[in-house]
Amino acid sequence: MTSILVLNGPNLNLLGTREPAVYGAATLADVRTLCEETGARLGLSIDFRQSNHEGALVDALHEARERHAGVVLNAGAYTHTSVALRDAITAIGLPVVEVHLSNIHAREPFRHHSHIAPVALGMICGFGPRSYALAIEALGAHLAG
Ligand code: DQA
């Protein structure tokens, strides 16, 4: 079965209690369930992970090269700061779909720039947890050719 890594960055472990007006009431466990249900519907195996540490996210991307066909990545605030994550994406050569719960372009100017977007297959933002389901569908279709 085709396997996809869904990788979450800093502070996303606090979903549900973190700024609910921005990020909604769903917890990361709820997002995980949605991803697993979407994967099951499409015949994709989902490896769902989260870390608050930039280096651990780089390591997870490196490991994905051996284990997964593609990645759905919500890099959180590292989206806007991390050249290391961008370099890891180009280094592994896997298709990566960038996701965000919120519409980063409708928020503060510092969130408008993404280091990930130029090296991603595509980017989906603004649909809450549904951003993840849409990203898995898009990545699955891309992998199916
Ligand atoms: C986020 C948007 C980022 O700007 C922010 O730093 C996050 C969450 C989102 O999913 O909307 O941590 O990636």
Side-chain angles (χ1 to χ4, degrees):
M1 190 186 281
T2 302
S3 178
I4 288 176
L5 173 65
V6 180
L7 186 59
N8 295 279
N11 301 306
L12 292 166
N13 54 310
L14 299 182
L15 276 183
T17 58
R18 173 194 184 201
E19 299 182 78
V22 176
Y23 296 115
T27 65
L28 194 62
D30 296 332
V31 176
R32 178 184 193 133
T33 299
L34 175 63
C35 289
E36 290 173 349
E37 286 172 356
T38 305
R41 181 164 52 79
L42 299 172
L44 300 165
S45 162
I46 302 294
D47 181 8
F48 191 93
R49 298 169 67 178
Q50 188 273 335
S51 176
N52 292 321
H53 305 279
E54 187 175 15
L57 295 167
V58 170
D59 287 342
L61 287 169
H62 290 183
E63 287 167 23
R65 190 169 46 162
E66 312 298 329
R67 298 168 36 187
H68 304 292
V71 181
V72 170
L73 174 63
N74 185 350
Y78 290 140
T79 303
H80 317 297
T81 64
S82 179
V83 176
L85 282 179
R86 176 197 164 117
D87 283 353
I89 291 166
T90 54
I92 64 174
L94 290 179
V96 173
V97 179
E98 175 181 353
V99 295
H100 301 284
L101 296 147
S102 63
N103 179 355
I104 57 174
H105 298 291
R107 300 183 62 195
E108 303 94 325
F110 68 85
R111 296 188 202 275
H112 296 180
H113 178 261
S114 166
H115 284 290
I116 310 298
V119 295
L121 185 63
M123 193 267 269
I124 297 170
C125 73
F127 297 98
R130 188 167 294 141
S131 293
Y132 287 74
L134 293 169
I136 290 168
E137 285 182 14
L139 183 56
H142 172 80
L143 292 171

